[in-house]
Amino acid sequence: MLTTDSIQDHNKTLEADHQFKLAYINELLDRRGINAQSIIEKIKAFQVAIPSWALGTGGTRFARFPSGGEPRNLEEKIEDVGLIHKLNGSSNSISLHIPWDIPSDAVAIKQLLKANNLTIDSVNSNTFQDQKDQPFSYKFGSLSHTKSDSRNLAIEHNIQCVEYGKQLDSKVLTVWLADGSNFPGQSHFRKAYQRTADSLATIYEAMPSDWTMLIEYKPYEPFFYSMVIPDWGTSYSLCQQIGKNAQVLVDLGHHLPNTNIEQIVGRLMHFGRLGGFHFNGSMYGDDDLTTGSIKPYQFFLIFNELVDGMQDSNVKNPPLAWMIDASHNTKDPIEDLLQSVNAILSTYAKTLLVDRVALADAQDNNDVVKAEELLRDIFFTDVRALVSEASRQVGGAIDPVATFRHAQVRESLVGKRGKFSVATGL
């Protein structure tokens, strides 16, 4: 279906055009005193986790249109991420969602991961929907529920997620709560917050000391009057209460329109509390569109703050967990993920080119135009050849999407799994 030889054979058809583009960016950077290969090495080292739930065609509240050949179980999801990693060399881990991805044989799963050069990035709990035969409902909340039975069920589920993660050598638990209210007076804000804090603290105490808890926030959806964890400040305050290994998780789509996300990540890194980052694109809210497809300049500005913090020795923030969290229903899921990874790497590469000394000087001297022009110049620089070269150097495809199509991977998956196979999950 897709072999190293087939990737290299397709690369040969693109080599001449690629080398022409690479030579141009090499010379451009050389004139600026930047070694292109040093940037390529950093691109090669950057890895983005793929979520298991994005490997199927995402649904909406109205319909779902499967593309065929979707992974029917955890094993096939791992195989699909293996294909993505083979194509781009930058997707060496998979993020699991429990109960959709409970490993039936942990030893066999670990062997399959190794065969595909993958690891488990994190385990994600699911308390936003009731499961079959669940004794207590999450309709009115999970970790924040007024009734202890529902709270304890949600707590136990998260602890069980940690146990599954331990079996597969993960060290990260991601918690996103759908808890909230739709109508005024429905929920007592302060009590709901405290119940959540107490529940998270119980889960945290049950985690191994070398594990990290990532706490995600979202301003609305599924509830539209209030969410228990609606913003980064609430998540940050919970982390402060729970312990040093509790960190804020930022999802690009989990913000109200026109929110200054770059400032948020800058503040969190300054506090040493930014633990994870979920990539996607959005027009209105949590649209989960392809990363970089809607607001590429904002994405660049956000990444600029991330890299600035990562390069500043004064910033004591832990290494970030990078993951895509997108699942749209009008594209081939693997093609969408390949596009997202490419956009992430291209934007990352651009921010590596920013002259930090010159930018700091312009900021210190209040030279507004110079500071803005420094960023705009880098944003409009075409660095795609650097990303392609990074992929080529690790044995991947110069153009992953084109290679995926040329090898007719989706057609092969349909033939293997069936036209109407549907990925587990939402």
Side-chain angles (χ1 to χ4, degrees), residues 269-422:
M269 292 194 84
H270 184 69
F271 299 151
R273 283 292 188 178
L274 181 59
F277 199 88
H278 283 184
F279 297 104
N280 49 52
S282 67
M283 182 74 176
Y284 304 106
D286 192 24
D287 306 337
D288 279 346
L289 300 175
T290 312
T291 306
S293 61
I294 303 297
K295 301 172 183 175
Y297 187 53
Q298 182 196 37
F299 184 39
F300 166 75
L301 296 176
I302 294 166
F303 228 129
N304 181 60
E305 290 300 321
L306 292 167
V307 170
D308 185 77
M310 291 160 61
Q311 293 182 346
D312 190 339
S313 60
N314 293 315
V315 174
K316 308 302 181 184
N317 198 79
L320 297 178
W322 311 101
M323 193 192 83
I324 295 170
D325 189 4
S327 183
H328 207 257
N329 69 341
T330 55
K331 287 183 177 180
D332 181 293
I334 292 180
E335 291 187 352
D336 176 75
L337 289 163
L338 289 170
Q339 285 184 302
S340 285
V341 174
N342 185 270
I344 292 164
L345 295 177
S346 296
T347 307
Y348 174 57
K350 289 181 180 182
T351 57
L352 293 173
L353 304 181
V354 174
D355 188 333
R356 301 286 161 194
V357 175
L359 181 59
D361 180 72
Q363 291 168 340
D364 289 343
N365 288 288
N366 300 307
D367 192 335
V368 180
V369 172
K370 182 179 180 181
E372 183 184 15
E373 287 301 308
L374 281 168
L375 293 178
R376 281 169 52 83
D377 179 59
I378 296 299
F379 173 70
F380 287 115
T381 301
D382 189 349
V383 299
R384 289 176 295 176
L386 297 178
V387 176
S388 295
E389 179 62 12
S391 179
R392 189 195 68 79
Q393 289 186 14
V394 297
I398 290 174
D399 186 336
V401 172
T403 304
F404 175 84
R405 290 190 169 192
H406 182 263
Q408 296 185 312
V409 177
R410 179 54 62 188
E411 290 81 354
S412 297
L413 291 173
V414 171
K416 179 181 177 182
R417 301 170 184 170
K419 185 176 180 180
F420 302 104
S421 65
V422 177

Side-chain angles (χ1 to χ4, degrees), residues 104-316:
S104 57
D105 185 339
V107 174
I109 291 297
K110 289 172 71 172
Q111 291 174 342
L112 183 60
L113 288 166
K114 184 177 181 180
N116 285 275
N117 298 311
L118 302 175
T119 61
I120 297 298
D121 169 69
S122 63
V123 287
N124 298 255
S125 59
N126 179 340
T127 61
F128 54 82
Q129 58 185 187
D130 290 348
Q131 304 302 320
K132 184 179 180 181
D133 300 323
Q134 184 173 312
F136 306 103
S137 178
Y138 297 143
K139 179 177 181 179
F140 295 109
S142 58
L143 296 180
S144 73
H145 204 290
T146 57
K147 305 301 181 183
S148 61
D149 286 338
S150 291
R151 290 200 307 276
N152 291 336
L153 185 68
I155 290 169
E156 183 56 37
H157 167 69
N158 277 274
I159 294 173
Q160 188 63 57
C161 288
V162 173
E163 293 303 313
Y164 289 129
K166 287 162 62 178
Q167 293 176 25
L168 301 175
D169 299 327
S170 175
K171 291 182 182 294
V172 179
L173 171 69
T174 299
V175 180
W176 172 68
L177 293 186
D179 297 18
S181 65
N182 269 333
F183 300 101
Q186 176 184 337
S187 176
H188 191 287
F189 297 143
R190 288 186 288 109
K191 290 180 181 179
Y193 172 89
Q194 192 56 53
R195 288 192 295 267
T196 300
D198 293 341
S199 297
L200 288 171
T202 302
I203 298 165
Y204 185 86
E205 288 300 315
M207 289 168 44
S209 60
D210 60 346
W211 269 60
T212 298
M213 175 187 286
L214 297 179
I215 302 177
E216 197 169 358
Y217 60 88
K218 191 176 185 180
Y220 68 93
E221 194 186 42
F223 292 101
F224 296 94
Y225 177 66
S226 74
M227 293 288 286
V228 172
I229 310 180
D231 50 42
W232 72 271
T234 304
S235 180
Y236 172 73
S237 70
L238 289 167
C239 291
Q240 290 289 85
Q241 290 187 58
I242 293 167
K244 64 181 180 65
N245 288 347
Q247 299 284 331
V248 179
L249 172 62
V250 173
D251 184 301
L252 265 178
H254 289 190
H255 300 88
L256 298 175
N258 303 316
T259 297
N260 191 326
I261 305 172
E262 51 267 42
Q263 185 177 50
I264 292 173
V265 299
R267 287 283 164 81
L268 286 171
M269 292 194 84
H270 184 69
F271 299 151
R273 283 292 188 178
L274 181 59
F277 199 88
H278 283 184
F279 297 104
N280 49 52
S282 67
M283 182 74 176
Y284 304 106
D286 192 24
D287 306 337
D288 279 346
L289 300 175
T290 312
T291 306
S293 61
I294 303 297
K295 301 172 183 175
Y297 187 53
Q298 182 196 37
F299 184 39
F300 166 75
L301 296 176
I302 294 166
F303 228 129
N304 181 60
E305 290 300 321
L306 292 167
V307 170
D308 185 77
M310 291 160 61
Q311 293 182 346
D312 190 339
S313 60
N314 293 315
V315 174
K316 308 302 181 184

